[in-house]
Amino acid sequence: MSKFDVINSYAPRIDCPDKATGKAIFTDDLSKPGMLYGAMLQSPHAHAKILSIDTSKAKALEGVKAVITSKETGSVKYGVSPARYDETMFATDKVRYVGDEIAAVAATSLEIALNAVALIQVEYEVLPAVLTVEDAMKEGAPQLHEAFTNNLCAEVHQEFGNVEEGFKQCDIIKTTTMKNKRQDGAFIEMQACIAEYDRRGTLTLTTSTQVPHYVQRTVAMVLGMDVGKVRVIKPYVGAGFGIKAAANHQELACCFLARMLKKPVKMNYTREQVFMYGRARHQFSHTITTGAKKDGTLVALKHECYLDGGAYTSFGIATVYYTGSLLAGPYKLPNMSYDGYRVYNNKPACGAQRGHGAVIARAVFEQQMDMIAEEIGMDPLELRIKNMMNTGDTTCNDLNMSSFGMSECIEAVRDGSGWDKKKGNMPKGKGIGMACGFFVSGAGFPIYRSDTFHGTVIVKLTEDGGTALVYTASAEIGQGSDTAFAMIVGEALGIPLENVRLASGDTDMGVDLGAYSSRQTLMTGHAAKEAGEHAKQQVLEVLAEQLDTPLEDMDIKNGCIEFKNQTPDFSALRTRYIKEHRGWTDNPESEKLTFKEASRIAFLEKGSIVGTGKYRPHWLGGKFKGAAVGTSPAYGCSAQVAEVTVDMETGQITIDNIVDAHDCGKAINRNSVEGQMQGSISMGIGETMHEEVIFNDKGQVLNSDLAEYKIVTAMDMPPVKAIVVESDEPNGPYGAKEVGEGAIMPTIPAILNAVYDATGVRMNELPLTPERVYTAIQAYKERSNA
Amino acid sequence: MLLPKFEFYEPTSIQEAIDLKKKYRGKAKLMAGGTDLLVHLKKKLVTADHLISLAKIKELSQVQQAGDTLKIGTCVTMSQLSKSAVIQEKFGAIKTASDNLGTHLIRNRATLGGNVCNASPAGEALPSLIVYQAQVRLQGPEGKRKIPVESFFKGPGKTDIHEGEILVGFQLPLPEKNYGAHYLQLGKRKSSEINVVNVAAFVEINPADQTVKTARIALGSVAATPIRSFHAEDVLTNKAPGEAVFYEAGEAARHKDCQPIDDFRGTAAYRRAMIGVLTKRTLETACKLAMAQ
Amino acid sequence: MKKIVTLTINKEHYEVAVEPNRTLADLLRYDLGLTGTKKGCDTGDCGACTVVLDGDVVNSCLVLALQADNTTIETIEGLSNEDGLHPLQEAFVEKGAIQCGFCTPGMIMSAKNLLDKNGNPSDTEIREGLSGNLCRCTGYTKIFEAVSSQCSDNQGGSNE
Ligand SMILES: Cc1cc2nc3c(=O)[nH]c(=O)nc-3n(C[C@H](O)[C@H](O)[C@H](O)COP(=O)(O)OP(=O)(O)OC[C@H]3O[C@@H](n4cnc5c(N)ncnc54)[C@H](O)[C@@H]3O)c2cc1C
Ligand code: FES
Ligand code: FES
């Protein structure tokens, strides 16, 4: 039995009745009176100088209200990290990828807007383009940004301990080179937005975003407005996975047009534009060398990585750091070095996607763990247990594991999968593999340097008593955060979930950095808990006075007031409450004084009862350059076992099942925890098996639709056993921490290790399309015959 | 995504459709289920000022058995085919192909005629139609004609249809006894796939000596059109079916009959190799079915 | 040129003038305000726009509004009524089959049509019956659970 009344249960989500009935409103479901439609002109060239832009024909088209280019909008630079603002709303002098934005139109219909876009005449001088990391780094390669020579967007060089010395102590040293392919978020809702500007100078942007707060700041900065004059509202969002975690050009153009025309403007990406915008997982090329002793003790790791960044930085600076820093766990590893390079080229920018920066590095390293285990004749699972960090340990790069149920996760998947019986005994063509992973539970620092709170929450009790209203600027994008915060407030106040109502995703409601880095449950959760407790405190203060009972002797639980000692005579309060509600039929009769009565009385004494909460992590991490990236108040961790069948003749892989165990601290809502685990696995499977954005030699995306960009369908998803492992995270609200991203970490390597088990072949390139697997099997056969 | 502007017609007879097509010569497109055409129009790959839907012409949506032939109307959908008793019983390779096309949603609209007229080298139903020796029935201002489906395809998206003509349906001889057929496709995931390769095989066994009397094998996605694999067929003819023969037939298909190209869905080398495997496997099943009769 | 289309949607009778190039999805969403039907691609790939047309599920982004003349259409809005959610919708909520909810209306329409035609689908039939509805959030697992809880074999007893 849980010691909690509301959280730590399996609760149906509060947003789901509306979502199940089609009532939930997403951005494109909205329309505003007098609304105009916007469309953008995007570059057809991967790299070109813009010699001239002629918008006169477009402007002349009937129904066109405005055509804007950088001439109208100016060229304020923006981006994600202030250290690398390298984008503008519209290209000024040159375009750097197919899709780079050049102009936007607002018109009375979408059809007219699109026709007008086609009438904008741009004279280009086509420049040679570089489309790969290798080409971009060649001497004399065309340069994308003047300020960044050799197309080097960012580089990182770090060493912790002494890697060379470490290798000298090693008996086994394994080097692996591996790369993945660019990903797409492939959320089902394409980005859409509506901007309105009122006559008092307030701009309201309703948009499909994960981060209303950052969008608000970017819009204000680029349009030169006070932050207080910009309001960003996030309706329901059809998921984001990191791609919607920054302002996009469409949002900026839409705001500019609305302010200019004083009319609502709506804009939508098509699916093709979603692909052109990119911003999903980078293509990483890793070379990792790991050294261990004969007994399996890990000693040193040397890591080099090149990131195919695309035309702009986006999240790239954080990405290139994350790629290195998150290899320091979950195993004890005293020596680690990292050299990371993020390289510009003429493709859409890459950004952050579930498991930011760390997923492929993890996939390489977890395979090396298996290689080492094989070489020393140890069960790969035992090797992992042997090297596992313990609760309270700190990595060589100063990441502290304040709670760490990793060993419990491993034991859970060992049992859940029947590992001990199966490993080493799989029939031909079948294999079993495992892997571990961990991830931050919220970035330790905001994206811009600031002492800001990371989240604030307001809880207001309704004046009639009984209902708690929660206001948070956090972003429900499908993960279930609204329900989690409503549950946390219910728990903190001592009232059932059905008496909590919640509104979120509006910058007017406070500050919240939004849905990225798996931060909301822990961070916004803290603020929600504090706000609930603050409201409770105020109600109890009034009761203490009215009932002449010490506050410490009272509590609220399950919607009733609990008295530690003797229940005082509260009949006077009850009579007063009933008089207030003359004519109402639901007069309280319970033996206990209800929260409803108490909060009504509190209102009568003090006016509106408003509780506030806030959260900011304590200072985290070391002192070296880049020490901030990877820090977090807590880390979630997980282990997975995958079983596969490989068709040795065609290279087709079938994933037979996956067993997953995840330590999410205390689960707020088990329903959502399992959902995040299953969803992460499906994304991990897609990335392992068939997802890749493919470009032609002109830099155009060849598979910019969901037919050719292949995410997992209902037919591909294997049975998944999701085991929730709980620890008590001291830095989390009620002991809670992340599950949204850590759960994807082991998926890719678990499958890769299983494929090796089935075939004897190590794959060094993702995704594992039948052709790649077939080719690798053939090469292996030839090698074995030779 | 918007569709371009067009006028829309829903004739209820073949003649009416032919007349409309003639009237808007060159500027009209025929539409069956629209699952190819509407996508192509949205993506601006094709244009049309006039769309003529064939969906309201009742006779085009029927599957009819008449004596020893089967007639399939051009507008019969994949779902309809999959549920048709005669298709299930006698044309297993068409049933499998129709179950494999697109998704459960697309199959409710996508038609056999549309799949054939779209003439994608990877088209789902095409190899099966070829091995069952289907004839396409065409009708135009100049009258009717019938040609083997095998010679109907002229290249990716190109067919032998004349300006003004309409594909009205297919005619297939009912296979007699001692036969079996099978269809296999290979893609990257398990549903909604654009084929990397696809293969259909039809085998008739000589009951006297249990050798292969006739074999027809058709390969998809390895040439500009779906093609017959004559060398593989020759390997089988008059031989007793067995693993070694199937393998040899696969190798013949792989090395002698297919002419694949590299594209972003797969390299020519892989396609070739897979033609070998899939040919072998379709033959295995087709022969097993034939011997079981 | 606009033409008049007469159709029945969720048992209500509608008469609307539409352009020939209007899709059924856009008619529902933008002309009739039935925004429960979603669009995730507009090219038949995602299934978010799934509606039931004369008893069969279709991608409404690949059907012309004019083709819906004289047809009967069911959308997600027609499933729940004043008495509450449809049991299948209830199951989606209870089993946690919904995350972002963008695929949900289409997914539920496919699942309902599947169950209407086959009260007791096997696990494979459930997967096939949902194969045209992409969900990026849930990994489908809880969706399968929700649908299978509504199979006639699993009704009346415990669903666990
Ligand atoms: C999501 C999705 C998945 C798909 N998956 C597959 C797949 O797995 N395998 C596959 O093969 N295809 C697939 N397709 C393509 C398509 O569904 C099929 O080719 C389908 O069979 C086309 O039939 P239709 O009735 O929709 O054709 P339409 O789109 O109506 O027509 C196709 C073409 O044929 C012409 N045409 C149609 N009927 C006639 C006629 N009677 N006479 C002359 N010309 C005519 C049209 O003008 C048009 O050019 C898929 C499509 C989508 C959108
Ligand atoms: S919107 Fe119709 S299938 Fe995606
Ligand atoms: S719940 Fe988000 S796509 Fe299915």
Side-chain angles (χ1 to χ4, degrees), chain C residues 9 24-35 37 51 60 75:
Chain C
I9 306 171
L24 176 58
D26 288 355
L27 170 75
L28 293 170
R29 288 178 51 74
Y30 306 129
D31 298 338
L32 304 179
L34 294 166
T35 52
T37 301
V51 302
S60 63
T75 70

Side-chain angles (χ1 to χ4, degrees), chain C residues 86-116:
Chain C
H86 185 281
L88 181 62
Q89 291 174 314
E90 205 73 75
F92 266 66
V93 175
E94 288 296 320
K95 298 281 177 192
I98 303 172
Q99 289 190 23
C100 80
F102 202 78
C103 70
T104 308
M107 194 70 78
I108 290 181
M109 293 317 283
S110 277
K112 165 148 191 307
N113 196 247
L114 171 74
L115 291 166
D116 284 349

Side-chain angles (χ1 to χ4, degrees), chain A residues 110-111 647 649-650 652-654 690 694 702 705-708 710-711 713 715-716 769-771 774, chain B residues 1-2 5 43 186-191 193-194 254 264-267 270 273-274 277-278 280-281:
Chain A
L110 179 56
E111 198 166 1
D647 183 329
E649 285 186 329
T650 63
Q652 280 174 304
I653 298 170
T654 303
H690 27 64
I694 305 172
L702 282 176
D705 59 39
L706 296 176
E708 298 275 14
K710 295 169 193 302
I711 69 170
T713 72
M715 301 291 285
D716 301 285
T769 57
E771 174 157 5
Y774 169 84
Chain B
M1 272 176 123
L2 295 178
K5 278 196 182 312
K43 292 188 172 173
L186 184 137
K188 290 182 186 161
R189 61 179 173 189
K190 305 218 178 325
S191 105
E193 260 310 290
I194 292 133
R254 170 183 184 175
F264 73 93
R265 295 187 193 117
T267 61
Y270 181 66
M274 290 310 103
V277 178
L278 262 60
K280 183 184 76 172
R281 291 184 181 178

Side-chain angles (χ1 to χ4, degrees), chain A residues 548-563:
Chain A
D548 203 12
T549 305
L551 194 149
E552 314 76 67
D553 290 354
M554 295 183 291
D555 199 2
I556 307 175
K557 259 180 127 37
N558 296 316
C560 290
I561 314 301
E562 304 269 343
F563 297 94

Side-chain angles (χ1 to χ4, degrees), chain C residues 39-42 44-47 49 59 61:
Chain C
K39 290 200 299 178
C41 68
D42 237 340
D45 300 320
C46 76
C49 64
N59 301 104
C61 70

Side-chain angles (χ1 to χ4, degrees), chain A residues 185-187 210 238-244 352-354 477 683, chain C residues 136-137:
Chain A
F187 35 76
Q210 301 175 226
F241 307 114
I243 290 76
K244 296 177 183 169
Q353 185 177 337
R354 195 177 222 158
I477 58 169
M683 187 175 276
Chain C
R136 185 60 154 171
C137 302

Side-chain angles (χ1 to χ4, degrees), chain A residues 210-217 448 452-457 471-476 479 481 485 504-516 519-528 613-615:
Chain A
Q210 301 175 226
V211 287
H213 175 77
Y214 290 116
V215 173
Q216 176 194 36
R217 288 177 59 95
Y448 56 94
T452 182
F453 288 101
H454 293 210
T456 63
V457 171
Y471 299 106
T472 154
S474 62
E476 167 68 74
Q479 76 282 52
S481 59
F485 304 141
S504 66
D506 182 339
T507 52
D508 275 4
M509 291 172 182
V511 166
D512 198 287
L513 301 184
Y516 70 99
R519 56 170 295 287
Q520 290 193 150
T521 299
L522 188 145
M523 299 196 175
T524 314
H526 263 301
K614 63 202 175 305
Y615 177 77

